[in-house]
Amino acid sequence: MIYWIKRGGRLFGATVFFAVLISMMLRPDMLSLRNSITALACALLTGSIGWFIGTVVCDILLKGVCADLGDGGAESLVEGGILQRLQMMNEQMAPGGEEMPFEKNRPPARGERKKRKK
């Protein structure tokens, strides 16, 4: 999830950076060094702000969609998709689930032991 949050922030920041840079370079008399440096500085500043805002927005959206789903009961099984996959993943990671089969390696209880033949 962190990967997608960072990627969304970078994408939004890069989009803002290039949009501002191109819009400032379209002005007349941009071939002078002073105007080019000003355009680059403004684009860097707005790109940084756009990266921060994009990271915050992606964090809120992804965590809102993935982590705050809650148990939907029968509706989540009918709808399928991400709700069902998250529920199945949580069940598999739980002790005794598919990933950690403790029940197979458990020694038998006292009353379950077989008697030896003499």
Side-chain angles (χ1 to χ4, degrees):
M1 186 181 320
I2 293 173
Y3 170 77
W4 290 106
I5 291 170
K6 288 180 180 179
R7 188 170 181 151
R10 278 188 237 129
L11 179 67
F12 189 74
T15 304
V16 169
F17 171 79
F18 285 114
V20 170
L21 184 65
I22 290 171
S23 66
M24 290 190 74
M25 293 299 254
L26 293 176
R27 296 187 307 176
D29 193 30
M30 280 309 296
L31 295 178
S32 68
L33 183 63
R34 183 177 181 181
N35 289 341
S36 297
I37 291 175
T38 303
L40 188 63
C42 288
L44 281 173
L45 180 66
T46 56
S48 300
I49 293 170
W51 166 79
F52 179 74
I53 291 172
T55 303
V56 169
V57 168
C58 284
D59 183 39
I60 291 170
L61 290 177
L62 285 176
K63 286 184 180 177
V65 168
C66 294
D68 197 25
L69 294 173
D71 188 21
E75 292 178 5
S76 66
L77 295 176
V78 172
E79 292 176 5
I82 195 167
L83 293 171
Q84 190 172 4
R85 279 187 259 147
L86 283 172
Q87 186 176 1
M88 287 172 53
M89 185 180 69
N90 286 335
E91 289 173 359
Q92 289 174 352
M93 296 302 289
E98 197 173 295
E99 293 290 321
M100 302 169 71
F102 293 124
E103 291 295 319
K104 293 178 185 175
N105 299 331
R106 189 180 64 123
R110 271 191 157 171
E112 296 177 5
R113 291 187 181 176
K114 295 181 181 178
K115 294 183 180 179
R116 294 184 183 175
K117 294 183 181 180
K118 291 185 181 182

